[in-house]
Amino acid sequence: MAEEEKTEPGNDLNRRQFFAKLGLGSLSIAAVGTAAFSYQYLEPNVLYEPSPVVNAGKPDRYPLDSVTLDVNSGIYIIHSQEGYFSLSAVCTHLGCLTAWKPEQGIIACPCHGSKFYAFEQADPGGKDHKPGDKIEGPAPKSLPWKRMWVNDDGDLLVDRSTDIPAMQFVRV
Ligand code: FES
């Protein structure tokens, strides 16, 4: 008891200063945390994706009756007798990347065996099929056609995000 009364004024001041600094430090940490959360809250929560438009280059890159897979874009550029067009290369079953099989003249999916026409063709029963139509397999739909056009520089452009009705050829 007697020792408490003997507390020196300097020690008391140091204790007060210590707790004041501790309080200020805590407030500063809280303020920084609040500012960081506020910034995250105010910043738009947007996912920036690459453009869906692909520049496929000059048409003369694609010989007549050729099927060219652009692996990075997941599309085919096809040059048929009727003109140029683009098909999605992504299987409509579970999304595997399909492959052009020149020896069979078809597009095939390596995952579960779906097959698609690349060119206009009649089946053995005489029924005509459009490019992209399913031949067989579990795929529920045909491969969609993608919007294609020629820009001012003469390059073929494809919009991967836009499906179009079949048989819309680009002629250059
Ligand atoms: S993902 Fe192509 S057949 Fe299944």
Side-chain angles (χ1 to χ4, degrees):
M1 198 64 165
E3 280 197 20
E4 278 180 26
E5 287 169 5
K6 279 186 192 171
T7 308
E8 292 176 23
N11 286 346
D12 192 35
L13 192 61
N14 285 343
R15 196 180 309 129
R16 279 195 198 135
Q17 283 174 339
F18 170 75
F19 282 115
K21 283 179 181 169
L22 188 67
L24 273 178
S26 303
L27 281 175
S28 302
I29 291 169
V32 169
T34 304
F37 279 118
S38 301
Y39 178 75
Q40 281 183 345
Y41 178 76
L42 291 173
E43 188 172 347
N45 194 11
V46 177
L47 182 64
Y48 295 99
E49 292 186 352
S51 167
V53 176
V54 176
N55 187 326
K58 302 286 185 243
D60 58 15
R61 282 178 54 187
Y62 307 97
L64 187 62
D65 293 327
S66 67
V67 178
T68 306
L69 172 62
D70 180 338
V71 175
N72 294 329
S73 305
I75 55 171
Y76 290 104
I77 308 295
I78 301 177
H79 185 187
S80 71
Q81 302 285 342
E82 296 84 4
Y84 297 86
F85 61 98
S86 177
L87 291 178
S88 168
V90 179
C91 183
T92 56
H93 181 219
L94 293 177
C96 289
L97 192 67
T98 58
W100 165 237
K101 301 288 179 191
E103 66 285 355
Q104 298 170 266
I106 59 164
I107 293 168
C109 179
C111 292
H112 312 102
S114 288
K115 294 175 181 166
F116 306 88
Y117 292 99
F119 295 101
E120 211 173 348
Q121 199 174 324
D123 65 22
K127 186 178 176 220
D128 283 333
H129 294 277
K130 301 183 290 295
D133 280 358
K134 188 182 90 170
I135 302 169
E136 64 181 37
K141 292 189 294 184
S142 306
L143 296 176
W145 285 52
K146 297 294 175 181
R147 189 166 85 88
M148 174 187 268
W149 69 99
V150 179
N151 71 4
D152 292 341
D153 295 332
D155 292 341
L156 290 170
L157 299 186
V158 178
D159 183 353
R160 293 176 295 161
S161 68
T162 307
D163 294 354
I164 60 169
M167 308 305 278
Q168 295 187 33
F169 300 96
V170 171
R171 295 183 179 89
V172 292

